Amino acid sequence: MPKSPTIEFIETLAKKAGEILRSGYGQQHEINHKGTIDLVTEIDYLSEALILQEIRTAFPEHQVVSEESGAQLGSDCCLWYIDPLDGTVNYVHNIPIFSVSIAYQESGEMQLGVVFDPLRQECFSTERGKGAWLNGAPIHVSQQTNLDQSLLVTGFSYDIRNRENNNLDNYARLALNSQGVRRLGSAALDLCYVAAGRFDAFWELSLSTWDIAAGSLIVEQAGGIVTNAQGEPNYLVSPQSIIAANPFIHPQLQKMLNTDM
């Protein structure tokens, strides 16, 4: 078995990558299109290059799946999920809501997760079985029991213009059956805000593993429930969808969603 990372290693790595994001924020960027509304910048690549280099140096046998570079082969037992800049569209428009997301899985089970917001200097982290933290202080999901009084957050896929179930009907329905629905533009931070009790629940119908690998573990270790949109535990299996909520709101939210893909 190859050696395993510590949570301190991942926190330090996320903060180093976050410094790249912070220093480039508000500048002019080289913008390319992966899709009609799916953007990537040179900052995405710089952040990713730093993360991959440090993982390759410290853990050369590990496998890595990263948003911009895809899968890099290694040992099946040790797998990283990297999103070097979650919230690129926000970043390009100088909207200060974006993050670095790094997760580590061992023997098929997520073990460590870190999401770092470089502008607010908020580092959300978790280690399986040991709880979840914000800058070292324990965090917990909310205790709200009534969906009608809950504050929710959601997101929409980049193929929203062509997707049959684009989540807009759910957005409208939940807006009328909750305290409100927000759309921040960074799934990793959406999840961390659920873990910290800022939101009562998050849902989305189409995303990628690197978007949610770290944040979903942070929610679980903060006392929340995370499933796919059908309520099944295998939310990292394609096609990915997610409901992350406190234990009271989760079943109420799932019942309200139209999840036909």
Side-chain angles (χ1 to χ4, degrees):
M1 168 79 75
K3 68 176 181 178
S4 304
T6 63
I7 191 64
E8 291 79 12
F9 174 87
I10 303 180
E11 288 174 341
T12 299
L13 183 54
K15 290 176 181 178
K16 287 181 179 179
E19 178 57 27
I20 293 175
L21 308 190
R22 190 199 64 77
S23 62
Y25 180 67
Q27 308 299 316
Q28 292 288 342
H29 297 293
E30 301 169 16
I31 302 170
N32 292 296
H33 288 255
K34 296 187 287 184
T36 304
I37 57 174
D38 190 2
L39 309 180
V40 62
T41 72
E42 84 285 0
I43 298 295
D44 294 75
Y45 292 123
L46 287 172
S47 174
E48 183 179 70
L50 180 144
I51 295 169
L52 294 179
Q53 178 60 42
E54 297 233 357
I55 291 175
R56 280 282 166 254
T57 299
F59 307 98
E61 298 177 312
H62 289 193
Q63 184 177 167
V64 181
V65 175
S66 187
E67 178 172 11
E68 308 309 336
S69 298
Q72 300 192 20
L73 298 180
S75 173
D76 288 340
C77 75
C78 306
L79 175 60
W80 297 75
Y81 291 102
I82 310 299
D83 194 338
L85 172 47
D86 187 49
T88 301
V89 173
N90 284 350
Y91 192 83
V92 166
H93 288 271
N94 296 325
I95 297 170
I97 303 173
F98 52 86
S99 59
V100 179
S101 178
I102 305 175
Y104 173 72
Q105 178 178 297
E106 195 168 277
S107 300
E109 189 171 59
M110 212 64 68
Q111 297 295 329
L112 303 169
V114 173
V115 175
F116 181 58
D117 176 344
L119 294 190
R120 292 170 185 78
Q121 291 291 300
E122 289 191 331
C123 185
F124 299 88
S125 58
T126 190
E127 185 170 357
R128 179 171 292 278
K130 296 186 178 181
W133 311 279
L134 168 53
N135 294 341
I139 54 175
H140 305 281
V141 296
S142 75
Q143 294 299 303
Q144 177 58 249
T145 61
N146 187 346
L147 181 64
D148 188 60
Q149 294 300 311
S150 64
L151 185 61
L152 312 177
V153 64
T154 191
F156 302 92
S157 64
Y158 286 115
D159 62 351
I160 186 172
R161 300 180 185 184
N162 305 308
R163 186 179 180 84
E164 184 174 350
N165 186 354
N166 58 19
N167 198 34
L168 287 172
D169 62 336
N170 290 317
Y171 183 91
R173 186 181 308 109
L174 269 303
L176 297 174
N177 287 276
S178 68
Q179 198 172 70
V181 182
R182 303 290 184 256
R183 198 275 205 240
L184 301 187
S186 170
L189 285 179
D190 292 340
L191 286 160
C192 290
Y193 285 14
V194 171
R198 297 172 180 176
F199 289 124
D200 301 301
F202 165 64
W203 90 90
E204 193 164 341
L205 299 186
S206 179
L207 19 66
S208 299
T209 308
W210 50 77
D211 295 320
I212 60 174
S216 57
L217 182 62
I218 292 171
V219 172
E220 289 177 338
Q221 298 300 299
I225 296 176
V226 185
T227 68
N228 66 15
Q230 287 73 42
E232 301 162 342
N234 57 340
Y235 55 87
L236 293 179
V237 175
S238 185
Q240 278 104 355
S241 61
I242 194 167
I243 302 174
N246 78 35
F248 305 106
I249 299 301
H250 187 283
Q252 299 176 58
L253 175 58
Q254 185 195 343
K255 187 176 180 180
M256 291 285 294
L257 291 178
N258 168 20
T259 60
D260 292 337
M261 308 303 280

